[in-house]
């Protein structure tokens, strides 16, 4: 493990609703030898505006995010969705502005989703964690399709002691959240999340893990509505709890 300077990009959903996920990410990165900072100038990545057709507004918030992370060596976020926005749509947003396009490309090259950064950059797949539970994993659409983050979370989970990993049937199907999609097409969204919840129940898992809190919020709401006793956690939360369990047992 080596000393790396990392800036935490915390995303709107986590900042406003799940700050504990951002804290888990920061503590795990520090444990892995990173010097973690939090640029306070960061804002929304612009995805809601972009997906709704408000390109000019998306461009303005994108400029602010680019400015905030310009001094950073690496940028890490607990969200494949927001990182996917930076990777795939920032260069497109600034296609007609060469100076800003180059800045967007620089940010893209150093921005990673959390599990992607641990496995691909730090080369860490085993955190010496221990978590006695049956666990299934929901791969979010943007992380798996836009970023190609598929194996990294699974590798990290498979190296957790006492954890029984069980594959989620039709795991690649969307949970139905999709940001503004859930608002624009609520009936279709509800049908999709009901199907996802049914597939999770079929696994018999105690815990559902994911890497995007938008998806997990949506799925958790449905599981609660159906009174299904499945604990829903971000990957970073499970890993941090597992690390603490491992340390307790060693003591």
């Amino acid at each position: 493990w080596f000393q790396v300077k990392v800036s935490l990009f915390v995303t709107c959903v986590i900042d406003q609703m799940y700050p504990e996920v951002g804290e888990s990410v920061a503590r795990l990165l520090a444990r892995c030898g990173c010097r973690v900072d939090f640029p306070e100038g960061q804002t929304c990545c612009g995805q809601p505006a972009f997906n709704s057709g408000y390109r000019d507004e998306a461009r303005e918030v994108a400029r602010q995010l680019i400015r905030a992370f310009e001094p950073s060596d690496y940028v890490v976020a607990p969200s494949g969705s927001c990182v996917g926005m930076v990777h795939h749509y920032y260069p497109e947003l600034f296609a007609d502005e060469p100076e800003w396009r180059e800045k967007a490309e620089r940010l893209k090259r150093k921005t990673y989703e959390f599990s992607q950064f641990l496995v691909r950059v730090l080369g860490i797949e085993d955190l010496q964690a221990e978590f006695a539970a049956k666990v299934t994993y929901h791969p979010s659409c943007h992380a798996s399709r836009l970023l190609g983050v598929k194996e990294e979370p699974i590798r990290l989970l498979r190296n957790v002691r006492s954890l029984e990993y069980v594959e989620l049937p039709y795991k690649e199907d969307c949970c139905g959240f999709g940001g503004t999609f859930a608002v624009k097409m609520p009936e279709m969204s509800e049908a999709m999340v009901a199907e996802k919840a049914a597939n999770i129940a079929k696994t018999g898992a105690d815990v559902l893990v994911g890497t995007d809190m938008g998806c997990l919020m949506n799925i958790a709401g449905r599981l609660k509505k159906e009174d299904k006793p499945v604990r829903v956690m971000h990957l970073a939360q499970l890993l941090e709890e597992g690390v603490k369990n491992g340390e307790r047992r060693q003591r």
Side-chain angles (χ1 to χ4, degrees):
W1 295 0
F2 50 95
Q3 189 81 16
V4 173
K5 187 168 173 284
V6 175
S7 294
L8 180 62
F9 167 27
V10 89
T11 83
C12 299
V13 170
I14 288 172
D15 180 46
Q16 297 296 318
M17 302 177 75
Y18 302 100
E20 63 278 8
V21 173
E23 290 167 4
S24 287
V25 170
R27 286 191 290 262
L28 283 171
L29 288 172
R31 180 180 290 275
C32 293
C34 299
R35 282 184 296 126
V36 184
D37 64 31
F38 181 81
E40 292 190 9
Q42 63 181 279
T43 181
C44 175
C45 68
Q47 187 178 164
F50 180 83
N51 288 347
S52 303
Y54 294 101
R55 297 293 176 99
D56 291 339
E57 289 80 357
R59 214 171 276 116
E60 278 313 297
V61 289
R63 284 188 218 279
Q64 180 56 30
L65 197 77
I66 290 167
R67 284 189 202 103
F69 290 114
E70 244 171 339
S72 306
D73 293 347
Y74 287 99
V75 179
V76 175
S79 163
S81 184
C82 300
V83 173
M85 176 69 189
V86 171
H87 274 239
H88 283 264
Y89 301 116
Y90 272 28
E92 180 188 323
L93 271 177
F94 296 109
D96 299 327
E97 299 179 50
E99 185 186 340
W100 278 97
R101 184 182 170 105
E102 176 49 38
K103 289 182 179 189
E105 291 283 359
R106 278 203 296 272
L107 179 60
K108 171 184 169 177
R109 286 193 292 270
K110 64 186 179 184
T111 302
Y112 293 85
E113 181 274 329
F114 168 68
S115 70
Q116 183 187 42
F117 184 75
L118 280 188
V119 174
R120 293 194 200 170
V121 179
L122 298 184
I124 294 171
E125 297 186 11
D126 188 348
L127 286 160
Q128 306 297 309
E130 190 172 310
F131 196 95
K134 185 187 274 192
V135 176
T136 194
Y137 169 69
H138 164 69
S140 58
C141 297
H142 285 172
S144 55
R145 295 185 177 99
L146 285 184
L147 293 178
V149 174
K150 294 179 179 177
E151 283 306 309
E152 293 88 341
I154 308 299
R155 285 191 209 168
L156 289 160
L157 288 171
R158 286 194 187 282
N159 280 311
V160 175
R161 279 83 176 148
S162 306
L163 184 147
E164 181 190 345
Y165 174 72
V166 53
E167 192 89 353
L168 179 62
Y170 302 102
K171 62 179 190 227
E172 64 284 341
D173 289 0
C174 177
C175 74
F177 181 60
T180 54
F181 172 81
V183 178
K184 292 173 182 170
M185 299 187 163
E187 295 86 2
M188 191 181 294
S189 173
E190 186 176 356
M192 290 164 81
V193 76
E195 194 173 88
K196 180 65 71 173
N199 286 327
I200 291 162
K202 281 176 195 167
T203 67
D206 310 303
V207 180
L208 169 72
V209 168
T211 57
D212 273 272
M213 285 314 302
C215 307
L216 293 177
M217 174 176 67
N218 186 39
I219 297 166
R222 185 70 196 192
L223 290 169
K224 187 176 179 184
K225 186 177 182 180
E226 295 182 4
D227 208 23
K228 292 191 166 94
V230 180
R231 188 177 177 194
V232 178
M233 304 176 80
H234 189 280
L235 175 65
Q237 291 175 297
L238 183 144
L239 290 174
E240 190 188 26
E241 196 171 309
V243 164
K244 288 176 182 171
N245 291 341
E247 286 178 344
R248 270 196 294 271
R249 190 178 60 78
Q250 282 175 356
R251 281 202 296 270

